[in-house]
mmCIF file of all heavy atoms in Angstrom:
data_model
loop_
_atom_site.group_PDB
_atom_site.id
_atom_site.type_symbol
_atom_site.label_atom_id
_atom_site.label_comp_id
_atom_site.label_asym_id
_atom_site.label_seq_id
_atom_site.Cartn_x
_atom_site.Cartn_y
_atom_site.Cartn_z
ATOM 1 N N GLN B 103 -9.385 12.283 4.002
ATOM 2 C CA GLN B 103 -10.702 12.160 3.428
ATOM 3 C C GLN B 103 -11.119 10.784 3.588
ATOM 4 O O GLN B 103 -10.483 9.864 2.956
ATOM 5 C CB GLN B 103 -10.693 12.729 1.928
ATOM 6 C CG GLN B 103 -12.016 12.450 1.270
ATOM 7 C CD GLN B 103 -13.089 13.495 1.784
ATOM 8 O OE1 GLN B 103 -12.702 14.646 2.154
ATOM 9 N NE2 GLN B 103 -14.348 13.129 1.790
ATOM 10 N N PHE B 104 -12.171 10.454 4.345
ATOM 11 C CA PHE B 104 -12.624 9.030 4.463
ATOM 12 C C PHE B 104 -13.587 8.817 3.363
ATOM 13 O O PHE B 104 -14.724 9.268 3.392
ATOM 14 C CB PHE B 104 -13.248 8.811 5.840
ATOM 15 C CG PHE B 104 -12.241 8.850 7.004
ATOM 16 C CD1 PHE B 104 -11.888 10.016 7.651
ATOM 17 C CD2 PHE B 104 -11.652 7.687 7.388
ATOM 18 C CE1 PHE B 104 -11.008 9.984 8.671
ATOM 19 C CE2 PHE B 104 -10.714 7.584 8.476
ATOM 20 C CZ PHE B 104 -10.438 8.793 9.065
ATOM 21 N N ALA B 105 -13.267 7.996 2.456
ATOM 22 C CA ALA B 105 -14.110 7.640 1.283
ATOM 23 C C ALA B 105 -15.276 6.842 1.783
ATOM 24 O O ALA B 105 -16.436 6.934 1.122
ATOM 25 C CB ALA B 105 -13.393 6.937 0.186
ATOM 26 N N CYS B 106 -15.108 6.127 2.750
ATOM 27 C CA CYS B 106 -16.220 5.249 3.312
ATOM 28 C C CYS B 106 -17.557 6.038 3.607
ATOM 29 O O CYS B 106 -18.666 5.638 3.312
ATOM 30 C CB CYS B 106 -15.846 4.473 4.521
ATOM 31 S SG CYS B 106 -15.105 5.521 5.864
ATOM 32 N N CYS B 107 -17.391 7.212 4.116
ATOM 33 C CA CYS B 107 -18.578 8.066 4.464
ATOM 34 C C CYS B 107 -18.497 9.482 3.880
ATOM 35 O O CYS B 107 -19.337 10.357 4.133
ATOM 36 C CB CYS B 107 -18.644 8.227 6.000
ATOM 37 S SG CYS B 107 -18.944 6.630 6.839
ATOM 38 N N ASP B 108 -17.471 9.683 2.949
ATOM 39 C CA ASP B 108 -17.260 10.976 2.288
ATOM 40 C C ASP B 108 -17.166 12.073 3.301
ATOM 41 O O ASP B 108 -17.906 13.091 3.158
ATOM 42 C CB ASP B 108 -18.391 11.160 1.210
ATOM 43 C CG ASP B 108 -18.066 12.271 0.261
ATOM 44 O OD1 ASP B 108 -16.785 12.466 0.017
ATOM 45 O OD2 ASP B 108 -18.987 12.954 -0.211
ATOM 46 N N VAL B 109 -16.317 11.993 4.252
ATOM 47 C CA VAL B 109 -16.153 13.010 5.252
ATOM 48 C C VAL B 109 -14.577 13.300 5.449
ATOM 49 O O VAL B 109 -13.836 12.328 5.228
ATOM 50 C CB VAL B 109 -16.780 12.709 6.589
ATOM 51 C CG1 VAL B 109 -18.244 12.680 6.577
ATOM 52 C CG2 VAL B 109 -16.191 11.422 7.179
ATOM 53 N N TYR B 110 -14.260 14.485 5.737
ATOM 54 C CA TYR B 110 -12.888 14.823 6.034
ATOM 55 C C TYR B 110 -12.674 14.996 7.512
ATOM 56 O O TYR B 110 -13.579 15.417 8.266
ATOM 57 C CB TYR B 110 -12.598 16.227 5.334
ATOM 58 C CG TYR B 110 -11.266 16.818 5.808
ATOM 59 C CD1 TYR B 110 -10.118 16.431 5.208
ATOM 60 C CD2 TYR B 110 -11.268 17.764 6.859
ATOM 61 C CE1 TYR B 110 -8.910 17.011 5.692
ATOM 62 C CE2 TYR B 110 -10.025 18.299 7.313
ATOM 63 C CZ TYR B 110 -8.854 17.872 6.691
ATOM 64 O OH TYR B 110 -7.702 18.519 7.094
ATOM 65 N N ASN B 125 -9.946 8.017 13.604
ATOM 66 C CA ASN B 125 -11.066 7.168 13.183
ATOM 67 C C ASN B 125 -11.985 8.139 12.183
ATOM 68 O O ASN B 125 -12.039 9.297 12.488
ATOM 69 C CB ASN B 125 -11.893 6.781 14.390
ATOM 70 C CG ASN B 125 -11.224 5.893 15.218
ATOM 71 O OD1 ASN B 125 -10.306 6.335 15.995
ATOM 72 N ND2 ASN B 125 -11.380 4.631 15.171
ATOM 73 N N CYS B 126 -12.746 7.528 11.451
ATOM 74 C CA CYS B 126 -13.820 8.157 10.624
ATOM 75 C C CYS B 126 -14.791 8.672 11.635
ATOM 76 O O CYS B 126 -15.265 7.861 12.488
ATOM 77 C CB CYS B 126 -14.371 7.202 9.650
ATOM 78 S SG CYS B 126 -15.872 7.885 8.763
ATOM 79 N N PRO B 127 -15.235 9.886 11.518
ATOM 80 C CA PRO B 127 -16.163 10.412 12.523
ATOM 81 C C PRO B 127 -17.583 9.850 12.387
ATOM 82 O O PRO B 127 -18.378 9.980 13.200
ATOM 83 C CB PRO B 127 -16.087 11.927 12.285
ATOM 84 C CG PRO B 127 -15.622 12.145 10.922
ATOM 85 C CD PRO B 127 -14.682 10.924 10.680
ATOM 86 N N HIS B 128 -17.874 9.196 11.316
ATOM 87 C CA HIS B 128 -19.250 8.537 11.094
ATOM 88 C C HIS B 128 -19.219 7.071 11.371
ATOM 89 O O HIS B 128 -20.094 6.604 12.108
ATOM 90 C CB HIS B 128 -19.709 8.900 9.633
ATOM 91 C CG HIS B 128 -20.111 10.287 9.348
ATOM 92 N ND1 HIS B 128 -21.139 10.683 8.651
ATOM 93 C CD2 HIS B 128 -19.445 11.393 9.895
ATOM 94 C CE1 HIS B 128 -21.136 11.984 8.671
ATOM 95 N NE2 HIS B 128 -20.134 12.513 9.382
ATOM 96 N N CYS B 129 -18.339 6.302 10.751
ATOM 97 C CA CYS B 129 -18.502 4.806 10.890
ATOM 98 C C CYS B 129 -17.369 4.278 11.830
ATOM 99 O O CYS B 129 -17.321 3.030 12.146
ATOM 100 C CB CYS B 129 -18.419 4.160 9.579
ATOM 101 S SG CYS B 129 -16.760 4.111 8.794
ATOM 102 N N ALA B 130 -16.476 5.072 12.314
ATOM 103 C CA ALA B 130 -15.382 4.711 13.275
ATOM 104 C C ALA B 130 -14.317 3.804 12.612
ATOM 105 O O ALA B 130 -13.496 3.225 13.315
ATOM 106 C CB ALA B 130 -15.932 4.028 14.538
ATOM 107 N N LYS B 131 -14.201 3.802 11.312
ATOM 108 C CA LYS B 131 -13.142 3.048 10.709
ATOM 109 C C LYS B 131 -11.844 3.691 11.084
ATOM 110 O O LYS B 131 -11.585 4.871 11.108
ATOM 111 C CB LYS B 131 -13.233 3.099 9.144
ATOM 112 C CG LYS B 131 -12.053 2.532 8.462
ATOM 113 C CD LYS B 131 -12.272 2.508 6.920
ATOM 114 C CE LYS B 131 -11.124 1.845 6.211
ATOM 115 N NZ LYS B 131 -11.377 1.767 4.747
ATOM 116 N N VAL B 149 -8.561 7.790 2.325
ATOM 117 C CA VAL B 149 -8.580 6.434 2.839
ATOM 118 C C VAL B 149 -9.829 5.783 2.161
ATOM 119 O O VAL B 149 -10.928 6.286 2.350
ATOM 120 C CB VAL B 149 -8.651 6.373 4.291
ATOM 121 C CG1 VAL B 149 -8.774 5.006 4.832
ATOM 122 C CG2 VAL B 149 -7.395 7.141 4.923
ATOM 123 N N HIS B 150 -9.677 4.627 1.567
ATOM 124 C CA HIS B 150 -10.744 3.863 1.012
ATOM 125 C C HIS B 150 -11.200 2.699 1.900
ATOM 126 O O HIS B 150 -10.483 2.222 2.673
ATOM 127 C CB HIS B 150 -10.380 3.296 -0.350
ATOM 128 C CG HIS B 150 -10.106 4.403 -1.333
ATOM 129 N ND1 HIS B 150 -11.089 4.967 -2.067
ATOM 130 C CD2 HIS B 150 -8.913 4.984 -1.622
ATOM 131 C CE1 HIS B 150 -10.551 5.955 -2.845
ATOM 132 N NE2 HIS B 150 -9.253 5.920 -2.590
#
Side-chain angles (χ1 to χ4, degrees):
Q103 177 70 31
F104 289 92
C106 52
C107 296
D108 195 29
V109 294
Y110 168 85
N125 298 76
C126 173
H128 287 218
C129 71
K131 177 179 182 174
V149 176
H150 296 275

